[in-house]
Amino acid sequence: RAASEMIAGVLRGSKHWSRESLEKMWGLVIPLLSTAFSKLRPDTLRFWQTCLRFAFARRDPRRFLPLVRLIIYGNPFDPLSEAPFAEAAKIELLLLLINSWDWRIVSAIAASKLRLHDALAHPYKQVRDAAGILMYTLYSAEYSVSYTNAELAIDDLARYGATGRDFSHWAGSQKTQAFIKEMASRVNEWKADHIPSNEGTSNYSRGSKTLLTFFLAGFSYSSKRLAIEHIPSILPMFSVLQEQNDDEEVARLARAVMQFFSQILYTAQMSEGVTSKVLALLEESSNSWHVITKTLPLLCTLTFSNRFSLSREVRMRIVDTTALFLEHDQIEVRQIASKSLSSLVKCASSNVIADINVKFSAKISTRLPRVRYGKPPKDPAAYNRLVLTRHAGVLGLSCLVLAFPYNIPDWMPKVLVLLAGCIDDPNPIQSTVQLTFAEFRRTHMDTWHEDRKRFTSSQLELLTDMLVSPCYYA
């Protein structure tokens, strides 16, 4: 630690030294740093990182050319090495260079022909994580709002106006875009040979972790531009990775990427495109209920984050797609869709609420045929389909009721009466009605003396048994 602090002071204070003094200093310092970097340990790495970070702050990289050459070329990264910490430390030092000098140092690191591609399925997690972060930081640092000459700047001003060119859709250089596509294709190729086994033992699991870490770095450490531009095209892969049962870490990373992705405030031009990608994913995954249950809450978050930039048509499509899943064969999908639709209704207009009310009221208008206890219905398929449709109607009306926990809109009394008429239906309809009225009673208990004035006497009489707990002595 003392050596790192002294060398940091020497490097920082050599700004105005003569050429002869600088050559003498580098002749002494470079061998010392070369020895120190080759013998890094977990407790000393942070000392040398602090040393370099202090020395490089607000300095031109050309003042440190011997040290830059030592870090980049002195002991290059070896993906075949069996020393994970040593290789991860080399990557950490390269990452420090990029964080200190951004695009000014990217070309020098790229010219060194790092073998980071070979670390995609590296057997050691420490190396994979460091490589994923470095790759994203390296490629995102290529972005620079600058021009090579004044003529280009003047041409942009004439073409795009005073605000200049829109750089919000920057997807990286052609080399970067090709590299991201190559990573995704390699992971897909490994998927074909993947056999579920112990955690992290296949190339598919390791490559998936590195790819997810690559994009997660965009939300945690660096610019989000690359992640925003490329994740929509890889959404189907990430949705599948959320259900990686043989590797919990892959599923956790995939969920984190999807959550960050849905929370971003997109531009008006991008928000509708991203939303359309998520809706298309839901429509394509209609047979995979696991994917649907993970994606529907993300669609709600995406809608809330960008509701002011989404057009009315897109918002209606989101509501219609969510409502469609209330008739899914899997009850878990129906439950998640119900919660999602209830959240969307809170931000919906009165016209949308009226349309939902009419739509789902019509679904429960057809009553179930009577079935004697212990005997199957005459047409089991038709009966089950009618139960599913009626349950979808009950879930849709329940969404309307639960979306307004502290007030009574004009349409709510009639909706509650309709729901009360389904209390004798078989499960899961009956349980849904009971839970809805239990939640309604809980949220309106304190103001019921005022809320009951919104109901007619006949409606109150019908709802009494639903809202008042039965008494043993009655």
Side-chain angles (χ1 to χ4, degrees):
R1 179 174 181 176
S4 66
E5 291 178 355
M6 287 188 288
I7 291 178
V10 171
L11 294 176
R12 189 71 179 173
S14 63
K15 179 178 180 180
H16 300 293
W17 289 9
S18 63
R19 184 182 183 87
E20 293 76 13
S21 299
L22 287 173
E23 290 178 353
K24 185 177 180 180
M25 179 199 71
W26 289 123
L28 294 173
V29 170
I30 292 300
L32 293 175
L33 290 177
S34 179
T35 303
F37 292 164
S38 63
K39 298 180 179 180
L40 287 173
R41 299 194 308 271
D43 57 334
T44 60
L45 175 61
R46 61 189 181 91
F47 297 148
W48 292 107
Q49 286 177 319
T50 304
C51 164
L52 297 179
R53 196 175 294 113
F54 175 76
F56 294 161
R58 298 184 180 181
R59 290 286 191 270
D60 193 301
R62 291 171 292 185
R63 293 183 179 275
F64 301 93
L65 286 179
L67 180 53
V68 171
R69 294 192 188 102
L70 172 65
I71 296 175
I72 297 178
Y73 301 103
N75 192 9
F77 170 70
D78 182 11
L80 303 179
S81 172
E82 293 295 329
F85 177 78
E87 300 308 314
K90 297 174 187 177
I91 296 176
E92 292 287 348
L93 293 178
L94 291 173
L95 185 61
L96 190 146
L97 291 180
I98 301 175
N99 290 333
S100 298
W101 290 316
D102 205 35
W103 57 270
R104 299 172 183 83
I105 199 68
V106 167
S107 58
I109 297 177
S112 66
K113 297 181 179 180
L114 278 173
R115 297 170 62 187
L116 291 175
H117 298 197
D118 297 331
L120 186 60
H122 199 278
Y124 293 102
K125 178 181 183 300
Q126 190 176 16
V127 177
R128 289 197 307 269
D129 291 349
I133 295 172
L134 176 63
M135 285 188 287
Y136 188 94
T137 309
L138 179 65
Y139 292 125
S140 64
E142 294 175 343
Y143 172 79
S144 176
V145 186
S146 59
Y147 300 94
T148 55
N149 55 63
E151 287 75 12
L152 288 176
I154 295 173
D155 183 61
D156 263 14
L157 287 174
R159 183 182 304 177
Y160 300 104
T163 57
R165 189 187 307 177
D166 181 14
F167 287 95
S168 61
H169 298 282
W170 186 78
S173 63
Q174 293 183 351
K175 180 180 177 181
T176 299
Q177 296 180 42
F179 171 71
I180 294 175
K181 292 179 180 178
E182 181 189 354
M183 279 200 303
S185 63
R186 288 178 67 182
V187 172
N188 280 327
E189 290 173 4
W190 289 329
K191 181 182 179 181
D193 302 327
H194 174 65
I195 299 176
S197 58
N198 296 329
E199 287 194 8
T201 57
S202 67
N203 285 339
Y204 175 63
S205 295
R206 295 167 182 165
S208 299
K209 292 174 187 176
T210 308
L211 182 63
L212 290 167
T213 303
F214 175 86
F215 284 108
L216 200 57
F219 300 114
S220 305
Y221 305 101
S222 190
S223 169
K224 298 180 179 63
R225 288 186 180 87
L226 280 181
I228 290 173
E229 290 293 330
H230 291 279
I231 285 182
S233 61
I234 318 177
L235 271 180
M237 179 193 297
F238 288 170
S239 63
V240 172
L241 290 176
Q242 291 183 98
E243 297 301 324
Q244 190 75 13
N245 296 324
D246 61 322
D247 196 332
E248 180 58 32
E249 185 182 0
V250 171
R252 178 180 58 81
L253 290 174
R255 287 193 293 268
V257 171
M258 296 288 276
Q259 287 170 0
F260 278 120
F261 175 72
S262 65
Q263 294 170 5
I264 295 176
L265 180 62
Y266 295 97
T267 62
Q269 295 177 342
M270 294 182 65
S271 59
E272 296 197 1
V274 171
T275 305
S276 298
K277 289 279 187 180
V278 178
L279 290 172
L281 172 62
L282 285 170
E283 293 167 357
E284 294 169 1
S285 306
S286 57
N287 296 326
S288 177
W289 66 272
H290 292 284
V291 173
I292 297 173
T293 55
K294 294 293 190 301
T295 308
L296 276 175
L298 299 180
L299 178 62
C300 286
T301 306
L302 181 64
T303 305
F304 295 147
S305 301
N306 300 273
R307 62 186 299 259
F308 296 109
S309 59
L310 293 173
S311 65
R312 185 179 183 277
E313 291 74 16
V314 173
R315 293 199 303 271
M316 284 300 302
R317 186 185 170 195
I318 293 171
V319 172
D320 293 340
T321 303
T322 305
L324 188 64
F325 287 109
L326 292 178
E327 295 188 62
H328 197 274
D329 295 334
Q330 199 73 24
I331 189 170
E332 289 86 355
V333 174
R334 299 201 295 270
Q335 291 171 345
I336 294 294
S338 175
K339 294 180 181 178
S340 302
L341 184 60
S342 181
S343 301
L344 293 172
V345 166
K346 295 178 182 178
C347 302
S349 63
S350 57
N351 292 333
V352 174
I353 294 174
D355 293 340
I356 294 175
N357 190 358
V358 172
K359 177 180 179 180
F360 289 106
S361 296
K363 289 185 181 294
I364 64 174
S365 60
T366 304
R367 302 193 64 84
L368 295 174
R370 297 180 65 85
V371 178
R372 291 192 175 185
Y373 180 76
K375 292 186 177 182
K378 295 181 179 179
D379 189 350
Y383 181 81
N384 292 335
R385 187 61 198 170
L386 187 56
V387 169
L388 184 61
T389 302
R390 195 168 171 85
H391 187 220
V394 169
L395 286 172
L397 296 181
S398 298
C399 293
L400 297 179
V401 173
L402 299 179
F404 298 89
Y406 302 112
N407 60 332
I408 304 289
D410 295 336
W411 47 262
M412 187 175 288
K414 294 182 180 179
V415 170
L416 290 172
V417 169
L418 288 175
L419 289 175
C422 302
I423 190 61
D424 294 327
D425 289 356
N427 279 323
I429 300 176
Q430 186 182 62
S431 59
T432 301
V433 173
Q434 290 173 343
L435 290 174
T436 302
F437 276 96
E439 184 65 17
F440 176 83
R441 180 175 181 273
R442 185 186 67 84
T443 54
H444 292 80
M445 182 185 299
D446 294 337
T447 58
W448 182 242
H449 60 283
E450 293 291 336
D451 293 340
R452 63 183 300 157
K453 298 176 182 179
R454 307 297 300 273
F455 297 83
T456 64
S457 57
S458 59
Q459 290 172 341
L460 279 176
E461 184 179 356
L462 181 61
L463 296 178
T464 299
D465 293 337
M466 306 295 299
L467 299 177
V468 178
S469 300
C471 178
Y472 177 79
Y473 297 100

